[in-house]
Amino acid sequence: MASVLLGVTGGIAAYKACELARLLVRAGHEVTPVLSPGAERFVAAQTFEALARRPQPRDLYPHLVAADLLVIAPLSANTLAKLAHGLADNLLTQLALAYRGPALVAPAMNARMWEHPATRANAAVLRERGVELIGPEEGELAEGEWGAGRMSEPAAIAVRCAALLGGSAALRGRSVVVTAGGTREPLDTVRYLGNRSSGRMGVAVAVEARRRGADVTLLAANLGVAVPAGLDVVATPTAAELEREALARASADVIVMAAAVADYRPARPLAAKRKKDASAWAVELEPTVDILAELGRRRRDGQVLVGFAADEGEAGLASAREKRRRKRVDLLVFNDVSRPDIGFDAEDNEVTLIRPDGELRIAKASKSLCAVAILDQIEALLEGG
Ligand code: CTP
């Protein structure tokens, strides 16, 4: 069962959204109706509440934003423009701005409004952001005119919803542990040795795993990015804490070690702030436990273990292949850190996914899209493929 947010905006087609609500409920989904103020001039919220068997929310509850799918049908020209520009003046537009999962919209409006360059540009902006548009269809419009502006049929929209929610069910209900961020190793009570990892890639993996129905625990090491609702977050600021929390969950179905864990830490961190003086400060570093290698030693049948490697060029790729074997990892995600536009603390990434039986090179893409490719591989491994 998936959770679907059904947005309805103002327009004569709003009555057809009742049929869509009914189809989604019948498909076994948990449907939350969210009507714009304009929609309530055409249909009553109570109609949707009765069909969905749940009330329309009044506030932007965190769990709403973590839904599996957002469908807006019909989508008026006005709300389309608001979505394109990121306006948040009612619950539906606020929700659309806070939500990060797949979205499907079914525009419906007067044909001349649909053809206006402003509307075309707004629709193009949504498409570029990954929102799927269905329709509008050509036909007789409410005003007696003929043209493209009719909302697609509820059954057609329901089919697209099923496709967007579908795919493999391999992760549904599975326990997934994702580590993200970079550890900080204390030198004294205020200073530390750290690294540049923001945690963006790990958080994207955790969010995508959650979207696919997994029970996700995020072991968070000093994240520089926000974590959406729906994840169980445990703070693990140092390598030692990350080691303790990861090994306590060593039997999870899937473990993704995306965190940049310090390889060395100060052997004797000072118990108070070191006062500045003229002398040099020599610090002895001791190696930390390689958590991924330890998880590899403890691995159980059927478990999927994923590691990351940051290295440079073809030689780095060759060493990543060797690392995958040595650490007994099923999937190793290789990042080429010789490029400044990808990897550490960047929005985009370009990764090579190394499996025992082959490799997949993912062209430069957002970290969310890289996460989709990584989770596709994890699902295939869970299914034994
Ligand atoms: N890792 C770990 N514990 C450590 C260090 C790293 O679990 N103490 C994990 C990271 O989360 C990552 C992978 O191991 O999944 C990275 O492997 P590592 O051998 O540290 O590779 P690099 O740091 O990329 O390169 P190098 O071979 O130079 O160490």
Side-chain angles (χ1 to χ4, degrees):
M1 182 174 75
S3 58
V4 178
L5 295 170
L6 175 60
V8 182
T9 71
I12 189 69
Y15 79 93
K16 289 209 272 179
C18 301
E19 173 65 2
L20 178 59
R22 204 182 59 78
L23 292 171
L24 291 171
V25 169
R26 208 174 62 187
H29 303 311
E30 194 181 275
V31 178
T32 306
V34 184
L35 276 66
S36 74
E40 298 209 43
R41 293 204 315 270
F42 293 86
V43 281
Q46 286 95 315
T47 312
F48 285 91
E49 291 175 343
L51 287 165
R53 295 183 212 113
R54 65 183 51 236
Q56 162 160 251
R58 299 195 183 286
D59 301 301
L60 190 66
Y61 299 121
H63 74 266
L64 290 178
V65 183
D68 300 304
L69 179 67
L70 168 67
V71 195
I72 306 182
L75 176 65
S76 65
N78 186 37
T79 301
L80 172 59
K82 288 181 189 176
L83 298 184
H85 294 278
L87 298 187
D89 62 343
N90 61 48
L91 183 61
L92 178 58
T93 48
Q94 283 165 11
L95 199 62
L97 202 54
Y99 170 82
R100 290 290 174 276
L104 174 69
V105 298
M109 62 196 73
N110 170 284
R112 273 176 307 199
M113 287 166 83
W114 174 246
E115 275 151 24
H116 193 283
T119 306
R120 305 320 294 242
N122 291 336
V125 165
L126 291 199
R127 274 195 207 95
E128 270 165 33
R129 284 191 202 134
V131 174
E132 183 172 320
L133 276 76
I134 179 167
E137 315 294 334
E138 199 160 296
E140 192 181 346
L141 303 172
E143 306 81 7
E145 288 180 77
W146 187 269
R150 278 169 69 99
M151 186 176 99
S152 294
E153 285 308 313
I157 300 172
V159 166
R160 281 311 303 154
C161 291
L164 286 168
L165 289 167
S168 163
L171 273 164
R172 221 162 275 167
R174 299 286 200 130
S175 54
V176 174
V177 174
V178 182
T179 71
T183 65
R184 291 177 182 173
E185 309 304 325
L187 284 155
D188 64 13
T189 47
V190 295
R191 304 179 179 93
Y192 59 81
L193 287 179
N195 62 67
R196 284 174 47 209
S197 177
S198 64
R200 195 175 273 121
M201 188 67 243
V203 169
V205 168
V207 167
E208 182 60 21
R210 170 74 194 90
R211 201 184 68 71
R212 296 180 190 216
D215 287 329
V216 183
T217 303
L218 181 69
L219 302 186
N222 313 298
L223 300 182
V225 292
V227 180
L231 305 174
D232 177 20
V233 184
V234 179
T236 53
T238 63
E241 285 156 301
L242 189 55
E243 175 194 343
R244 188 186 67 223
E245 298 299 332
L247 295 183
R249 296 169 176 81
S251 62
D253 295 317
V254 178
I255 305 180
V256 181
M257 285 293 303
V261 187
D263 292 320
Y264 299 92
R265 67 174 152 238
R268 282 172 298 279
L270 305 178
K273 181 179 179 236
R274 184 192 199 273
K275 284 283 179 206
K276 180 171 61 183
D277 59 28
S279 57
W281 182 5
V283 176
E284 187 189 333
L285 301 180
E286 64 178 16
T288 58
V289 169
D290 188 322
I291 305 165
L292 183 60
E294 185 54 37
L295 291 167
R297 273 188 285 277
R298 299 184 185 192
R299 60 171 306 139
R300 61 169 177 81
D301 280 352
Q303 186 178 40
V304 173
L305 198 54
V306 182
F308 278 67
D311 212 327
E312 303 196 349
E314 284 303 312
L317 183 58
S319 110
R321 291 183 187 118
E322 191 276 322
K323 189 171 293 172
R324 193 202 62 73
R325 279 191 295 275
R326 180 165 40 86
K327 296 198 187 187
R328 304 184 61 210
V329 165
D330 303 285
L331 180 68
L332 198 116
V333 182
F334 171 70
N335 256 311
D336 189 342
V337 288
S338 59
R339 304 239 324 250
D341 56 330
I342 55 172
F344 273 126
D345 206 14
E347 294 285 342
D348 288 340
N349 215 351
E350 187 175 300
V351 296
T352 302
L353 306 183
I354 310 173
R355 277 176 53 155
D357 53 352
E359 288 177 13
L360 188 66
R361 223 175 252 251
I362 312 291
K364 185 175 162 181
S366 70
K367 288 185 174 170
S368 309
L369 277 180
C370 290
V372 168
I374 292 167
L375 267 301
D376 284 349
Q377 292 299 317
I378 292 173
E379 285 189 328
L381 287 161
L382 280 171
E383 285 168 339

